[in-house]
Amino acid sequence: MLFSAQFLQRYWWHLLAVALLMVMLVAILALTIGAVDIPLSALVMWPQGNLAFQHQLILEQLRLPRILLALGVGALLAISGTVTQGLFRNPLADPSLIGISSGAAAGASIAIVLFSQSAFNLMGISVVTAGAFCGSLLVVGFVYRMSTSAAGTSVSTMLLVGIALTFLAGSITSLLEFFADNDMLRRISLWRMGGLEGANYLSACTVLAIFLVIFTVLYRQKNALNVFLLGESEARHLGIDVTRLKKLVVVCVAAGVGLSVALAGTIAFIGLVVPHLVRIMVGPNHRYMIPLTACVGAVLLVLADALARWLIAPTELPVGLVTAFIGAPVFISMLYQRRRLALL
């Protein structure tokens, strides 16, 4: 643990302020990066209305909604990963383990193949987005129903059913790809690689509003999640309503990840790597983990999106590829460091 318990008790609000400042600085920096470079000095003229028309159009119509969406999606995926790892008491747990991402991918693939000619678009929500969200909700509903009985909700059953449904949803997606034409195949592939190019103010505001609600609900459960780390029986003996806690966490994770995947496609490693990075700094206490993982997740996805726009400009890389390229080596490095420290 990088920071001691005494340091965190004394300087927690300072640390949180630094994290929020980092989020703001990275968001401002990302506004300047892309196929068209916009100098930082131009951003100063932006509020005064003295910006060149082309730069103003790029900032207001393209980059700002995209960065706002990246902030919301990154923060949602990160806190979902944090509480999922706490619920399963497993540092390798990830929301995709209970089938949310695969269900969303299958739902999006069904929408692309069956409704490819549909022009349905309600308040910025396309048929593909709606299909992905419905797919994730169906999977989570089925997983929760299968793992819940009169005796309560079994976390291990939830995990096993989630793994089975992940394979089933993957098979459905592969079957649809077999029958899809070239255009459908390309759309399915691009959606599965993740991307924020479809961002608009409506989707960004929706994600940020849902994030605030989910963050508030989960942060209020921080003490119960800390006790749950001791074990389910111990938590029950210490007066925690375990069934209610599990139901609350699963519903929040399903809503958060389902919405994120529906709007931005499959973005790997944010929900897995960010909790590990933050746990190294502040330990497993959810009082510190939940706010800091939200900040770090938002920063990482904004940076990944900026890299995706800049690396081979004017063409854009799918942001899911960038997070995978960054996340996989970082995760392997953390596992190596943990193994090396265990041998010392």
Side-chain angles (χ1 to χ4, degrees):
M1 201 165 97
L2 192 59
F3 301 114
S4 65
Q6 293 79 10
F7 178 89
L8 288 170
Q9 281 183 349
R10 190 168 183 180
Y11 296 109
W12 162 238
W13 292 109
H14 298 79
L15 187 62
L16 185 60
V18 170
L20 291 172
L21 184 62
M22 285 295 297
V23 173
M24 290 178 59
L25 290 177
V26 168
I28 292 171
L29 179 66
L31 284 171
T32 67
I33 298 173
V36 176
D37 288 331
I38 298 178
L40 276 172
S41 57
L43 295 183
V44 179
M45 296 187 288
W46 188 17
Q48 302 165 3
N50 297 327
L51 202 60
F53 176 73
Q54 183 194 13
H55 287 173
Q56 187 169 352
L57 191 68
I58 291 171
L59 287 175
E60 293 181 358
Q61 299 300 320
L62 298 176
R63 293 187 188 170
L64 184 58
R66 187 167 177 151
I67 289 168
L68 290 175
L69 182 64
L71 289 172
V73 169
L76 268 178
L77 291 176
I79 62 169
S80 297
T82 299
V83 295
T84 302
Q85 291 178 8
L87 182 69
F88 289 107
R89 299 189 298 283
N90 185 338
L92 294 177
D94 180 81
S96 61
L97 275 182
I98 53 175
I100 300 175
S101 301
S102 301
S109 302
I110 290 170
I112 289 171
V113 172
L114 298 184
F115 306 103
S116 60
Q117 303 302 320
S118 172
F120 171 78
N121 196 315
L122 179 63
M123 296 177 65
I125 299 173
S126 69
V127 66
V128 178
T129 303
F133 192 60
C134 291
S136 63
L137 288 186
L138 277 175
V139 166
V140 171
F142 188 77
V143 168
Y144 191 77
R145 190 172 180 80
M146 287 289 291
S147 56
T148 302
S149 63
T153 304
S154 167
V155 172
S156 57
T157 305
M158 189 184 295
L159 192 60
L160 291 172
V161 176
I163 290 172
L165 286 183
T166 297
F167 283 106
L168 179 62
S171 302
I172 292 172
T173 305
S174 300
L175 184 66
L176 290 168
E177 286 176 340
F178 180 78
F179 289 106
D181 59 25
N182 288 337
D183 180 57
M184 293 173 185
L185 268 178
R186 179 175 171 75
R187 290 177 63 191
I188 293 173
S189 298
L190 286 175
W191 190 87
R192 292 178 72 181
M193 286 188 280
L196 298 163
E197 62 278 357
N200 54 48
Y201 284 109
L202 178 65
S203 60
C205 291
T206 303
V207 166
L208 289 172
I210 296 295
F211 162 72
L212 287 176
V213 172
I214 291 177
F215 176 84
T216 304
V217 171
L218 291 178
Y219 191 67
R220 287 168 63 90
Q221 305 302 318
K222 58 185 183 300
N223 293 329
L225 285 166
N226 286 340
V227 175
F228 200 81
L229 291 175
L230 299 173
E232 191 169 334
S233 302
E234 289 79 359
R236 191 173 282 113
H237 286 307
L238 289 170
I240 302 296
D241 188 344
V242 171
T243 303
R244 178 178 172 277
L245 177 66
K246 286 189 285 192
K247 190 183 294 185
L248 206 56
V249 170
V250 168
V251 169
C252 286
V253 169
V257 177
L259 183 65
S260 301
V261 175
L263 292 175
T266 308
I267 296 177
F269 279 102
I270 296 287
L272 182 62
V273 171
V274 171
H276 280 274
L277 283 173
V278 176
R279 197 174 289 112
I280 289 172
M281 290 190 288
V282 299
N285 190 336
H286 287 86
R287 178 193 171 194
Y288 309 124
M289 283 279 291
I290 293 175
L292 285 184
T293 49
C295 293
V296 176
V299 165
L300 277 185
L301 192 54
V302 170
L303 283 177
D305 182 53
L307 280 175
R309 286 185 277 122
W310 174 75
L311 280 175
I312 55 171
T315 305
E316 291 184 10
L317 281 172
V319 71
L321 293 184
V322 179
T323 58
F325 275 122
I326 296 173
V330 169
F331 192 61
I332 291 171
S333 171
M334 286 191 303
L335 292 178
Y336 175 76
Q337 290 294 331
R338 179 172 292 187
R339 176 175 174 271
R340 192 172 65 86
L341 290 173
L343 292 175
L344 288 177

